[in-house]
Amino acid sequence: MLERQTLNQGCSMADVEVLKLVELADNWIGQKTGDLLDDAQKAILRQALAGQRLKDIQVTGYTGNTVQREIAPKLWKLLSQVTGKKVSIKTVRLVLEGLREEASPSGSKGALERGGRGSEESASPHSPRRQTSPDPPPEGLELPGGQLDLVSRFYIERPPIEARAFEEISKPGSLIRIKAPKQMGKTSLMTRLLHEAEQLGCRSVALNFELADSEVFTNLDKFLQWFCAIVTDDLDLPIQLDSRWSKFLGSKKNCTNYFEKYLLPAIDTPLALGLDEVDRIFPHEKIADDFFGLLRAWHEKAKQSDIWKNFRLAIVHGTEVYIPLSNDQSPFNVGLPVELSEFNSAQVRDLAHRHGLDLTGTQVEQLMAMVGGHPHLVRLAFYNIARQDVTLEDLLRDAPTETGIYANHLRQHLRHLEQHPELASAFKQVVETDSPVQLMPAVAYKLNSMGLVRLLGNQVTVTYDLYRQYFRQRLLGSERLNASPLSL
């Protein structure tokens, strides 16, 4: 038994080292670009740092071809750009380990080197009580960000959402619409939904529209051919667009025939298709109108066609649909709607326990007063407290500042507002008052998809005190919106 415990401890130490290097990479990318690694990039990086060969790396929802040819090369290129060093799967660990000896992009030691304060202050009455010894931190902590692994203990169910969605995906021809702002757990739920479908005998494909190149949205024909090719590739079938795409039939008919006469018969089992980040399509109104109308038509076909009963669809989007779609051509008014809510106080406390923390009711209230029940923001707090990087008292004090744990998250939003002045101007109106504000619907929906505002009928209000404090200072303190670009 002692030998097994020693082995487990050795494995956990290696896992912790990998997580630290992933966090270091995320910190560098956040500082340099304002963006963060997504869930697929983190999964690839974790496995690469653990010594996996590229051909053996697996990412939930993506085929090996997509990982090897698209996601991984872009990841190595991004890391090369932000580190100034040539990064590949063979050199990534060496490069990241070398960075720990250098200054961080902000001029100080990296975030991973700043810890230690929490262990000195762990006796503070404002700090959560630990269920275990304060040193070392609990084993098995997972770096927050992106979708959660299917076996992650940090996935918190929000009854009855999962049960209803699992029941619906078991039905022939089903359609499920998952809606929530960014980082609320949409992709994690979709992944679990597709896994449930696989357990029921379906084949599944997860398609993320963020992976589509800009040129894909040039016209409908190019978009639908790309769509068919991605699904075909993920099913490990030969792509047969050349022989099955007629110039006489039109794009939508060709796409329908491709699924009806090739893909669905070829797999000879139900197909569960998950479409993530469909918001990416909304700005391209002509493509959006035709593509979403096509999805609605396929859903209707399942009511009368046996082959289309084998098609099950999950659509994931972050905002209300602000493009004009007629009621009989929209997939957003049929099927099962699933709107992900924030965590309630019981779920927040449950997540704290899973991080080895025992919060009082008052401490839960204090944290939720700052960030509500936002899954990512709450989890980021518990991760840092459990690692003893910060106490709850210091976390709350520094939360809306450039030195707090949410600095990268806030700067990401600020950068997005800088790139979209109409959103920045509208959000300025929201944060300068404590009362609800009425905005143009499309603007309100976009701010809501970012998670910055909460919809209250025809009006909006700022979502969390974290955003109110930070953006009041950034947008109102210097009045830079009209004078000069927003400064990071």
Side-chain angles (χ1 to χ4, degrees), residues 281-327:
I281 307 173
F282 291 168
H284 309 277
E285 291 193 15
K286 181 65 175 81
I287 291 176
D289 185 59
D290 286 326
F291 180 62
F292 292 130
L294 183 64
L295 296 181
R296 170 65 181 268
W298 290 355
H299 176 65
E300 297 297 332
K301 275 177 168 284
K303 299 176 182 178
Q304 49 191 309
S305 168
D306 287 340
I307 192 68
W308 283 101
K309 292 183 189 298
N310 284 336
F311 183 71
R312 304 169 192 192
L313 182 63
I315 302 176
V316 178
H317 57 114
T319 182
E320 297 290 344
V321 182
Y322 55 85
I323 54 175
L325 293 173
S326 60
N327 287 337

mmCIF file of all heavy atoms in Angstrom, residues 281-327:
data_model
loop_
_atom_site.group_PDB
_atom_site.id
_atom_site.type_symbol
_atom_site.label_atom_id
_atom_site.label_comp_id
_atom_site.label_asym_id
_atom_site.label_seq_id
_atom_site.Cartn_x
_atom_site.Cartn_y
_atom_site.Cartn_z
ATOM 1 N N ILE A 281 -21.522 32.986 -36.887
ATOM 2 C CA ILE A 281 -22.213 33.069 -38.177
ATOM 3 C C ILE A 281 -23.118 34.294 -38.247
ATOM 4 O O ILE A 281 -23.383 34.825 -39.332
ATOM 5 C CB ILE A 281 -23.043 31.787 -38.423
ATOM 6 C CG1 ILE A 281 -22.174 30.538 -38.261
ATOM 7 C CG2 ILE A 281 -23.678 31.789 -39.803
ATOM 8 C CD1 ILE A 281 -22.954 29.236 -38.329
ATOM 9 N N PHE A 282 -23.598 34.783 -37.105
ATOM 10 C CA PHE A 282 -24.602 35.843 -37.085
ATOM 11 C C PHE A 282 -24.247 37.075 -37.917
ATOM 12 O O PHE A 282 -25.110 37.612 -38.621
ATOM 13 C CB PHE A 282 -24.918 36.257 -35.646
ATOM 14 C CG PHE A 282 -25.650 35.209 -34.846
ATOM 15 C CD1 PHE A 282 -25.779 35.339 -33.473
ATOM 16 C CD2 PHE A 282 -26.208 34.097 -35.447
ATOM 17 C CE1 PHE A 282 -26.449 34.382 -32.721
ATOM 18 C CE2 PHE A 282 -26.877 33.130 -34.712
ATOM 19 C CZ PHE A 282 -26.995 33.270 -33.340
ATOM 20 N N PRO A 283 -23.001 37.574 -37.853
ATOM 21 C CA PRO A 283 -22.691 38.788 -38.630
ATOM 22 C C PRO A 283 -22.804 38.598 -40.144
ATOM 23 O O PRO A 283 -22.933 39.576 -40.879
ATOM 24 C CB PRO A 283 -21.246 39.110 -38.225
ATOM 25 C CG PRO A 283 -21.043 38.429 -36.917
ATOM 26 C CD PRO A 283 -21.854 37.186 -37.003
ATOM 27 N N HIS A 284 -22.746 37.359 -40.611
ATOM 28 C CA HIS A 284 -22.833 37.068 -42.046
ATOM 29 C C HIS A 284 -24.293 36.714 -42.359
ATOM 30 O O HIS A 284 -24.660 35.541 -42.463
ATOM 31 C CB HIS A 284 -21.891 35.920 -42.413
ATOM 32 C CG HIS A 284 -20.488 36.120 -41.922
ATOM 33 N ND1 HIS A 284 -19.553 36.874 -42.611
ATOM 34 C CD2 HIS A 284 -19.863 35.699 -40.789
ATOM 35 C CE1 HIS A 284 -18.419 36.890 -41.942
ATOM 36 N NE2 HIS A 284 -18.579 36.191 -40.824
ATOM 37 N N GLU A 285 -25.106 37.741 -42.501
ATOM 38 C CA GLU A 285 -26.562 37.549 -42.486
ATOM 39 C C GLU A 285 -27.066 36.648 -43.607
ATOM 40 O O GLU A 285 -27.975 35.849 -43.396
ATOM 41 C CB GLU A 285 -27.274 38.900 -42.523
ATOM 42 C CG GLU A 285 -27.101 39.692 -41.233
ATOM 43 C CD GLU A 285 -28.046 40.880 -41.154
ATOM 44 O OE1 GLU A 285 -29.021 40.935 -41.940
ATOM 45 O OE2 GLU A 285 -27.812 41.756 -40.306
ATOM 46 N N LYS A 286 -26.507 36.771 -44.805
ATOM 47 C CA LYS A 286 -26.987 35.929 -45.914
ATOM 48 C C LYS A 286 -26.689 34.465 -45.637
ATOM 49 O O LYS A 286 -27.566 33.600 -45.816
ATOM 50 C CB LYS A 286 -26.299 36.360 -47.218
ATOM 51 C CG LYS A 286 -26.747 35.555 -48.441
ATOM 52 C CD LYS A 286 -28.215 35.817 -48.736
ATOM 53 C CE LYS A 286 -28.653 35.124 -50.038
ATOM 54 N NZ LYS A 286 -28.955 33.721 -49.871
ATOM 55 N N ILE A 287 -25.482 34.174 -45.187
ATOM 56 C CA ILE A 287 -25.135 32.790 -44.856
ATOM 57 C C ILE A 287 -25.963 32.313 -43.677
ATOM 58 O O ILE A 287 -26.484 31.186 -43.673
ATOM 59 C CB ILE A 287 -23.634 32.666 -44.552
ATOM 60 C CG1 ILE A 287 -22.811 32.880 -45.827
ATOM 61 C CG2 ILE A 287 -23.303 31.307 -43.936
ATOM 62 C CD1 ILE A 287 -21.322 32.874 -45.613
ATOM 63 N N ALA A 288 -26.112 33.161 -42.656
ATOM 64 C CA ALA A 288 -26.871 32.784 -41.464
ATOM 65 C C ALA A 288 -28.314 32.452 -41.824
ATOM 66 O O ALA A 288 -28.871 31.448 -41.358
ATOM 67 C CB ALA A 288 -26.825 33.914 -40.445
ATOM 68 N N ASP A 289 -28.927 33.289 -42.649
ATOM 69 C CA ASP A 289 -30.328 33.077 -43.025
ATOM 70 C C ASP A 289 -30.508 31.728 -43.720
ATOM 71 O O ASP A 289 -31.424 30.953 -43.394
ATOM 72 C CB ASP A 289 -30.781 34.223 -43.929
ATOM 73 C CG ASP A 289 -32.259 34.146 -44.270
ATOM 74 O OD1 ASP A 289 -33.082 34.168 -43.334
ATOM 75 O OD2 ASP A 289 -32.594 34.047 -45.465
ATOM 76 N N ASP A 290 -29.627 31.429 -44.665
ATOM 77 C CA ASP A 290 -29.756 30.172 -45.412
ATOM 78 C C ASP A 290 -29.360 28.960 -44.573
ATOM 79 O O ASP A 290 -30.021 27.914 -44.628
ATOM 80 C CB ASP A 290 -28.882 30.224 -46.673
ATOM 81 C CG ASP A 290 -29.466 31.123 -47.750
ATOM 82 O OD1 ASP A 290 -30.700 31.189 -47.857
ATOM 83 O OD2 ASP A 290 -28.690 31.762 -48.484
ATOM 84 N N PHE A 291 -28.280 29.070 -43.797
ATOM 85 C CA PHE A 291 -27.801 27.918 -43.029
ATOM 86 C C PHE A 291 -28.770 27.551 -41.915
ATOM 87 O O PHE A 291 -29.112 26.372 -41.738
ATOM 88 C CB PHE A 291 -26.426 28.224 -42.443
ATOM 89 C CG PHE A 291 -25.858 27.092 -41.624
ATOM 90 C CD1 PHE A 291 -25.589 25.861 -42.197
ATOM 91 C CD2 PHE A 291 -25.593 27.262 -40.267
ATOM 92 C CE1 PHE A 291 -25.062 24.812 -41.451
ATOM 93 C CE2 PHE A 291 -25.065 26.228 -39.515
ATOM 94 C CZ PHE A 291 -24.801 24.998 -40.101
ATOM 95 N N PHE A 292 -29.231 28.534 -41.161
ATOM 96 C CA PHE A 292 -30.159 28.220 -40.072
ATOM 97 C C PHE A 292 -31.508 27.755 -40.611
ATOM 98 O O PHE A 292 -32.173 26.914 -39.999
ATOM 99 C CB PHE A 292 -30.319 29.431 -39.151
ATOM 100 C CG PHE A 292 -29.071 29.752 -38.375
ATOM 101 C CD1 PHE A 292 -28.560 31.041 -38.343
ATOM 102 C CD2 PHE A 292 -28.386 28.762 -37.692
ATOM 103 C CE1 PHE A 292 -27.404 31.331 -37.638
ATOM 104 C CE2 PHE A 292 -27.225 29.042 -36.986
ATOM 105 C CZ PHE A 292 -26.731 30.335 -36.964
ATOM 106 N N GLY A 293 -31.907 28.302 -41.759
ATOM 107 C CA GLY A 293 -33.112 27.787 -42.404
ATOM 108 C C GLY A 293 -32.963 26.339 -42.817
ATOM 109 O O GLY A 293 -33.907 25.542 -42.735
ATOM 110 N N LEU A 294 -31.743 25.980 -43.263
ATOM 111 C CA LEU A 294 -31.464 24.595 -43.653
ATOM 112 C C LEU A 294 -31.550 23.676 -42.440
ATOM 113 O O LEU A 294 -32.142 22.576 -42.517
ATOM 114 C CB LEU A 294 -30.073 24.532 -44.272
ATOM 115 C CG LEU A 294 -29.606 23.177 -44.821
ATOM 116 C CD1 LEU A 294 -30.484 22.733 -45.982
ATOM 117 C CD2 LEU A 294 -28.149 23.255 -45.261
ATOM 118 N N LEU A 295 -30.972 24.081 -41.305
ATOM 119 C CA LEU A 295 -31.047 23.259 -40.093
ATOM 120 C C LEU A 295 -32.494 23.049 -39.660
ATOM 121 O O LEU A 295 -32.885 21.956 -39.231
ATOM 122 C CB LEU A 295 -30.248 23.923 -38.971
ATOM 123 C CG LEU A 295 -28.740 24.057 -39.176
ATOM 124 C CD1 LEU A 295 -28.096 24.710 -37.954
ATOM 125 C CD2 LEU A 295 -28.085 22.700 -39.443
ATOM 126 N N ARG A 296 -33.299 24.093 -39.769
ATOM 127 C CA ARG A 296 -34.722 23.973 -39.411
ATOM 128 C C ARG A 296 -35.415 22.989 -40.357
ATOM 129 O O ARG A 296 -36.221 22.147 -39.923
ATOM 130 C CB ARG A 296 -35.380 25.354 -39.479
ATOM 131 C CG ARG A 296 -36.909 25.330 -39.359
ATOM 132 C CD ARG A 296 -37.383 24.847 -37.989
ATOM 133 N NE ARG A 296 -38.832 24.811 -37.927
ATOM 134 C CZ ARG A 296 -39.585 25.817 -37.489
ATOM 135 N NH1 ARG A 296 -39.013 26.950 -37.066
ATOM 136 N NH2 ARG A 296 -40.893 25.715 -37.456
ATOM 137 N N ALA A 297 -35.084 23.058 -41.639
ATOM 138 C CA ALA A 297 -35.699 22.150 -42.609
ATOM 139 C C ALA A 297 -35.324 20.702 -42.306
ATOM 140 O O ALA A 297 -36.171 19.794 -42.401
ATOM 141 C CB ALA A 297 -35.271 22.532 -44.026
ATOM 142 N N TRP A 298 -34.074 20.459 -41.931
ATOM 143 C CA TRP A 298 -33.654 19.100 -41.584
ATOM 144 C C TRP A 298 -34.408 18.592 -40.356
ATOM 145 O O TRP A 298 -34.781 17.421 -40.291
ATOM 146 C CB TRP A 298 -32.154 19.069 -41.327
ATOM 147 C CG TRP A 298 -31.306 19.259 -42.548
ATOM 148 C CD1 TRP A 298 -31.747 19.363 -43.844
ATOM 149 C CD2 TRP A 298 -29.884 19.363 -42.603
ATOM 150 N NE1 TRP A 298 -30.686 19.531 -44.696
ATOM 151 C CE2 TRP A 298 -29.527 19.539 -43.964
ATOM 152 C CE3 TRP A 298 -28.880 19.336 -41.652
ATOM 153 C CZ2 TRP A 298 -28.207 19.678 -44.378
ATOM 154 C CZ3 TRP A 298 -27.554 19.473 -42.066
ATOM 155 C CH2 TRP A 298 -27.223 19.641 -43.408
ATOM 156 N N HIS A 299 -34.602 19.467 -39.394
ATOM 157 C CA HIS A 299 -35.347 19.078 -38.192
ATOM 158 C C HIS A 299 -36.780 18.698 -38.557
ATOM 159 O O HIS A 299 -37.327 17.718 -38.023
ATOM 160 C CB HIS A 299 -35.338 20.236 -37.195
ATOM 161 C CG HIS A 299 -36.153 19.983 -35.966
ATOM 162 N ND1 HIS A 299 -35.851 18.999 -35.046
ATOM 163 C CD2 HIS A 299 -37.292 20.590 -35.513
ATOM 164 C CE1 HIS A 299 -36.750 19.007 -34.066
ATOM 165 N NE2 HIS A 299 -37.631 19.957 -34.334
ATOM 166 N N GLU A 300 -37.384 19.446 -39.458
ATOM 167 C CA GLU A 300 -38.761 19.146 -39.875
ATOM 168 C C GLU A 300 -38.815 17.844 -40.671
ATOM 169 O O GLU A 300 -39.795 17.098 -40.587
ATOM 170 C CB GLU A 300 -39.322 20.300 -40.701
ATOM 171 C CG GLU A 300 -39.435 21.624 -39.959
ATOM 172 C CD GLU A 300 -40.396 21.554 -38.771
ATOM 173 O OE1 GLU A 300 -41.332 20.734 -38.810
ATOM 174 O OE2 GLU A 300 -40.193 22.307 -37.798
ATOM 175 N N LYS A 301 -37.747 17.556 -41.443
ATOM 176 C CA LYS A 301 -37.724 16.321 -42.230
ATOM 177 C C LYS A 301 -37.799 15.078 -41.339
ATOM 178 O O LYS A 301 -38.313 14.035 -41.756
ATOM 179 C CB LYS A 301 -36.427 16.256 -43.059
ATOM 180 C CG LYS A 301 -36.465 16.975 -44.396
ATOM 181 C CD LYS A 301 -35.096 16.898 -45.076
ATOM 182 C CE LYS A 301 -35.167 17.331 -46.527
ATOM 183 N NZ LYS A 301 -35.769 16.319 -47.400
ATOM 184 N N ALA A 302 -37.290 15.189 -40.114
ATOM 185 C CA ALA A 302 -37.285 14.037 -39.208
ATOM 186 C C ALA A 302 -38.690 13.589 -38.842
ATOM 187 O O ALA A 302 -38.886 12.459 -38.379
ATOM 188 C CB ALA A 302 -36.503 14.384 -37.940
ATOM 189 N N LYS A 303 -39.665 14.460 -39.038
ATOM 190 C CA LYS A 303 -41.048 14.103 -38.704
ATOM 191 C C LYS A 303 -41.675 13.185 -39.744
ATOM 192 O O LYS A 303 -42.716 12.573 -39.487
ATOM 193 C CB LYS A 303 -41.892 15.374 -38.566
ATOM 194 C CG LYS A 303 -41.404 16.305 -37.457
ATOM 195 C CD LYS A 303 -42.198 17.594 -37.422
ATOM 196 C CE LYS A 303 -41.657 18.537 -36.332
ATOM 197 N NZ LYS A 303 -42.383 19.833 -36.307
ATOM 198 N N GLN A 304 -41.014 13.092 -40.916
ATOM 199 C CA GLN A 304 -41.621 12.279 -41.971
ATOM 200 C C GLN A 304 -40.627 11.378 -42.710
ATOM 201 O O GLN A 304 -41.033 10.562 -43.536
ATOM 202 C CB GLN A 304 -42.301 13.194 -42.997
ATOM 203 C CG GLN A 304 -41.425 14.339 -43.472
ATOM 204 C CD GLN A 304 -42.189 15.374 -44.277
ATOM 205 O OE1 GLN A 304 -42.889 14.992 -45.212
ATOM 206 N NE2 GLN A 304 -42.075 16.638 -43.933
ATOM 207 N N SER A 305 -39.340 11.520 -42.417
ATOM 208 C CA SER A 305 -38.330 10.736 -43.127
ATOM 209 C C SER A 305 -37.512 9.908 -42.135
ATOM 210 O O SER A 305 -36.952 10.449 -41.181
ATOM 211 C CB SER A 305 -37.401 11.674 -43.911
ATOM 212 O OG SER A 305 -36.274 10.978 -44.385
ATOM 213 N N ASP A 306 -37.447 8.604 -42.388
ATOM 214 C CA ASP A 306 -36.712 7.718 -41.475
ATOM 215 C C ASP A 306 -35.238 8.061 -41.408
ATOM 216 O O ASP A 306 -34.623 8.012 -40.336
ATOM 217 C CB ASP A 306 -36.890 6.255 -41.913
ATOM 218 C CG ASP A 306 -38.287 5.731 -41.609
ATOM 219 O OD1 ASP A 306 -38.959 6.333 -40.743
ATOM 220 O OD2 ASP A 306 -38.693 4.737 -42.231
ATOM 221 N N ILE A 307 -34.626 8.414 -42.536
ATOM 222 C CA ILE A 307 -33.194 8.700 -42.528
ATOM 223 C C ILE A 307 -32.885 9.929 -41.686
ATOM 224 O O ILE A 307 -31.862 9.997 -40.988
ATOM 225 C CB ILE A 307 -32.658 8.875 -43.974
ATOM 226 C CG1 ILE A 307 -31.130 8.874 -43.993
ATOM 227 C CG2 ILE A 307 -33.197 10.156 -44.604
ATOM 228 C CD1 ILE A 307 -30.507 7.560 -43.646
ATOM 229 N N TRP A 308 -33.788 10.919 -41.687
ATOM 230 C CA TRP A 308 -33.550 12.138 -40.912
ATOM 231 C C TRP A 308 -33.909 11.963 -39.437
ATOM 232 O O TRP A 308 -33.542 12.810 -38.609
ATOM 233 C CB TRP A 308 -34.285 13.322 -41.519
ATOM 234 C CG TRP A 308 -33.577 13.834 -42.741
ATOM 235 C CD1 TRP A 308 -33.901 13.602 -44.044
ATOM 236 C CD2 TRP A 308 -32.381 14.614 -42.768
ATOM 237 N NE1 TRP A 308 -32.996 14.187 -44.893
ATOM 238 C CE2 TRP A 308 -32.047 14.830 -44.132
ATOM 239 C CE3 TRP A 308 -31.560 15.160 -41.790
ATOM 240 C CZ2 TRP A 308 -30.927 15.563 -44.519
ATOM 241 C CZ3 TRP A 308 -30.449 15.896 -42.176
ATOM 242 C CH2 TRP A 308 -30.142 16.088 -43.525
ATOM 243 N N LYS A 309 -34.599 10.883 -39.105
ATOM 244 C CA LYS A 309 -34.804 10.575 -37.683
ATOM 245 C C LYS A 309 -33.478 10.236 -37.008
ATOM 246 O O LYS A 309 -33.347 10.291 -35.785
ATOM 247 C CB LYS A 309 -35.789 9.411 -37.518
ATOM 248 C CG LYS A 309 -37.223 9.726 -37.915
ATOM 249 C CD LYS A 309 -38.133 8.561 -37.658
ATOM 250 C CE LYS A 309 -39.523 8.795 -38.252
ATOM 251 N NZ LYS A 309 -40.196 9.956 -37.658
ATOM 252 N N ASN A 310 -32.475 9.869 -37.836
ATOM 253 C CA ASN A 310 -31.153 9.539 -37.317
ATOM 254 C C ASN A 310 -30.269 10.774 -37.112
ATOM 255 O O ASN A 310 -29.094 10.640 -36.769
ATOM 256 C CB ASN A 310 -30.438 8.570 -38.277
ATOM 257 C CG ASN A 310 -30.974 7.164 -38.175
ATOM 258 O OD1 ASN A 310 -31.530 6.775 -37.149
ATOM 259 N ND2 ASN A 310 -30.828 6.393 -39.246
ATOM 260 N N PHE A 311 -30.832 11.944 -37.340
ATOM 261 C CA PHE A 311 -30.058 13.185 -37.196
ATOM 262 C C PHE A 311 -30.513 13.929 -35.932
ATOM 263 O O PHE A 311 -31.675 14.298 -35.798
ATOM 264 C CB PHE A 311 -30.257 14.069 -38.430
ATOM 265 C CG PHE A 311 -29.439 15.331 -38.414
ATOM 266 C CD1 PHE A 311 -28.067 15.296 -38.593
ATOM 267 C CD2 PHE A 311 -30.053 16.562 -38.213
ATOM 268 C CE1 PHE A 311 -27.317 16.461 -38.586
ATOM 269 C CE2 PHE A 311 -29.315 17.735 -38.207
ATOM 270 C CZ PHE A 311 -27.942 17.682 -38.391
ATOM 271 N N ARG A 312 -29.585 14.106 -34.995
ATOM 272 C CA ARG A 312 -29.883 14.808 -33.744
ATOM 273 C C ARG A 312 -28.924 15.991 -33.623
ATOM 274 O O ARG A 312 -27.736 15.849 -33.880
ATOM 275 C CB ARG A 312 -29.749 13.857 -32.551
ATOM 276 C CG ARG A 312 -30.646 12.635 -32.735
ATOM 277 C CD ARG A 312 -30.407 11.529 -31.751
ATOM 278 N NE ARG A 312 -31.094 10.319 -32.173
ATOM 279 C CZ ARG A 312 -31.263 9.244 -31.415
ATOM 280 N NH1 ARG A 312 -30.754 9.224 -30.193
ATOM 281 N NH2 ARG A 312 -31.904 8.197 -31.882
ATOM 282 N N LEU A 313 -29.450 17.122 -33.226
ATOM 283 C CA LEU A 313 -28.693 18.358 -33.327
ATOM 284 C C LEU A 313 -28.684 19.121 -32.007
ATOM 285 O O LEU A 313 -29.714 19.261 -31.342
ATOM 286 C CB LEU A 313 -29.326 19.233 -34.420
ATOM 287 C CG LEU A 313 -28.668 20.572 -34.726
ATOM 288 C CD1 LEU A 313 -27.254 20.374 -35.262
ATOM 289 C CD2 LEU A 313 -29.513 21.349 -35.755
ATOM 290 N N ALA A 314 -27.499 19.607 -31.634
ATOM 291 C CA ALA A 314 -27.355 20.510 -30.483
ATOM 292 C C ALA A 314 -26.699 21.787 -30.985
ATOM 293 O O ALA A 314 -25.618 21.744 -31.580
ATOM 294 C CB ALA A 314 -26.514 19.859 -29.390
ATOM 295 N N ILE A 315 -27.354 22.917 -30.763
ATOM 296 C CA ILE A 315 -26.852 24.219 -31.201
ATOM 297 C C ILE A 315 -26.463 25.025 -29.969
ATOM 298 O O ILE A 315 -27.270 25.181 -29.045
ATOM 299 C CB ILE A 315 -27.916 24.982 -32.017
ATOM 300 C CG1 ILE A 315 -28.339 24.173 -33.238
ATOM 301 C CG2 ILE A 315 -27.395 26.349 -32.434
ATOM 302 C CD1 ILE A 315 -29.455 24.824 -34.041
ATOM 303 N N VAL A 316 -25.248 25.543 -29.958
ATOM 304 C CA VAL A 316 -24.753 26.296 -28.805
ATOM 305 C C VAL A 316 -24.481 27.732 -29.221
ATOM 306 O O VAL A 316 -23.723 27.980 -30.173
ATOM 307 C CB VAL A 316 -23.449 25.662 -28.254
ATOM 308 C CG1 VAL A 316 -22.909 26.470 -27.082
ATOM 309 C CG2 VAL A 316 -23.707 24.215 -27.835
ATOM 310 N N HIS A 317 -25.101 28.681 -28.518
ATOM 311 C CA HIS A 317 -24.867 30.087 -28.848
ATOM 312 C C HIS A 317 -24.871 30.919 -27.569
ATOM 313 O O HIS A 317 -25.399 30.515 -26.528
ATOM 314 C CB HIS A 317 -25.914 30.612 -29.844
ATOM 315 C CG HIS A 317 -27.337 30.479 -29.411
ATOM 316 N ND1 HIS A 317 -28.140 31.557 -29.138
ATOM 317 C CD2 HIS A 317 -28.117 29.391 -29.208
ATOM 318 C CE1 HIS A 317 -29.349 31.147 -28.802
ATOM 319 N NE2 HIS A 317 -29.357 29.830 -28.832
ATOM 320 N N GLY A 318 -24.274 32.101 -27.662
ATOM 321 C CA GLY A 318 -24.051 32.903 -26.466
ATOM 322 C C GLY A 318 -24.997 34.054 -26.287
ATOM 323 O O GLY A 318 -24.951 34.751 -25.284
ATOM 324 N N THR A 319 -25.867 34.302 -27.240
ATOM 325 C CA THR A 319 -26.725 35.470 -27.148
ATOM 326 C C THR A 319 -28.073 35.200 -27.785
ATOM 327 O O THR A 319 -28.267 34.181 -28.460
ATOM 328 C CB THR A 319 -26.074 36.674 -27.850
ATOM 329 O OG1 THR A 319 -26.916 37.820 -27.706
ATOM 330 C CG2 THR A 319 -25.870 36.410 -29.331
ATOM 331 N N GLU A 320 -29.005 36.126 -27.581
ATOM 332 C CA GLU A 320 -30.256 36.090 -28.313
ATOM 333 C C GLU A 320 -29.935 36.240 -29.799
ATOM 334 O O GLU A 320 -28.945 36.862 -30.185
ATOM 335 C CB GLU A 320 -31.169 37.235 -27.873
ATOM 336 C CG GLU A 320 -31.594 37.182 -26.419
ATOM 337 C CD GLU A 320 -32.564 36.060 -26.116
ATOM 338 O OE1 GLU A 320 -33.138 35.502 -27.088
ATOM 339 O OE2 GLU A 320 -32.761 35.727 -24.944
ATOM 340 N N VAL A 321 -30.773 35.665 -30.636
ATOM 341 C CA VAL A 321 -30.561 35.734 -32.077
ATOM 342 C C VAL A 321 -31.053 37.095 -32.555
ATOM 343 O O VAL A 321 -32.250 37.357 -32.577
ATOM 344 C CB VAL A 321 -31.305 34.590 -32.798
ATOM 345 C CG1 VAL A 321 -31.040 34.651 -34.289
ATOM 346 C CG2 VAL A 321 -30.883 33.253 -32.238
ATOM 347 N N TYR A 322 -30.105 37.967 -32.926
ATOM 348 C CA TYR A 322 -30.478 39.326 -33.291
ATOM 349 C C TYR A 322 -30.570 39.526 -34.806
ATOM 350 O O TYR A 322 -30.737 40.649 -35.278
ATOM 351 C CB TYR A 322 -29.475 40.338 -32.710
ATOM 352 C CG TYR A 322 -28.036 40.105 -33.073
ATOM 353 C CD1 TYR A 322 -27.506 40.598 -34.261
ATOM 354 C CD2 TYR A 322 -27.193 39.396 -32.231
ATOM 355 C CE1 TYR A 322 -26.188 40.388 -34.601
ATOM 356 C CE2 TYR A 322 -25.860 39.184 -32.560
ATOM 357 C CZ TYR A 322 -25.371 39.684 -33.744
ATOM 358 O OH TYR A 322 -24.055 39.471 -34.070
ATOM 359 N N ILE A 323 -30.443 38.437 -35.570
ATOM 360 C CA ILE A 323 -30.598 38.549 -37.017
ATOM 361 C C ILE A 323 -32.044 38.201 -37.368
ATOM 362 O O ILE A 323 -32.693 37.403 -36.686
ATOM 363 C CB ILE A 323 -29.633 37.605 -37.754
ATOM 364 C CG1 ILE A 323 -29.796 36.163 -37.260
ATOM 365 C CG2 ILE A 323 -28.203 38.062 -37.579
ATOM 366 C CD1 ILE A 323 -28.963 35.163 -38.030
ATOM 367 N N PRO A 324 -32.589 38.799 -38.430
ATOM 368 C CA PRO A 324 -33.984 38.527 -38.798
ATOM 369 C C PRO A 324 -34.149 37.146 -39.415
ATOM 370 O O PRO A 324 -33.604 36.860 -40.476
ATOM 371 C CB PRO A 324 -34.294 39.638 -39.807
ATOM 372 C CG PRO A 324 -32.966 40.006 -40.393
ATOM 373 C CD PRO A 324 -31.959 39.817 -39.297
ATOM 374 N N LEU A 325 -34.865 36.270 -38.737
ATOM 375 C CA LEU A 325 -35.196 34.944 -39.261
ATOM 376 C C LEU A 325 -36.698 34.745 -39.116
ATOM 377 O O LEU A 325 -37.261 34.975 -38.039
ATOM 378 C CB LEU A 325 -34.464 33.847 -38.482
ATOM 379 C CG LEU A 325 -32.937 33.769 -38.600
ATOM 380 C CD1 LEU A 325 -32.386 32.739 -37.620
ATOM 381 C CD2 LEU A 325 -32.512 33.425 -40.017
ATOM 382 N N SER A 326 -37.349 34.337 -40.188
ATOM 383 C CA SER A 326 -38.785 34.097 -40.096
ATOM 384 C C SER A 326 -39.052 32.916 -39.185
ATOM 385 O O SER A 326 -38.236 31.990 -39.079
ATOM 386 C CB SER A 326 -39.366 33.840 -41.492
ATOM 387 O OG SER A 326 -38.764 32.704 -42.085
ATOM 388 N N ASN A 327 -40.193 32.939 -38.522
ATOM 389 C CA ASN A 327 -40.505 31.902 -37.528
ATOM 390 C C ASN A 327 -40.489 30.497 -38.098
ATOM 391 O O ASN A 327 -40.106 29.545 -37.414
ATOM 392 C CB ASN A 327 -41.879 32.182 -36.901
ATOM 393 C CG ASN A 327 -41.847 33.361 -35.952
ATOM 394 O OD1 ASN A 327 -40.792 33.707 -35.420
ATOM 395 N ND2 ASN A 327 -42.995 33.997 -35.755
#
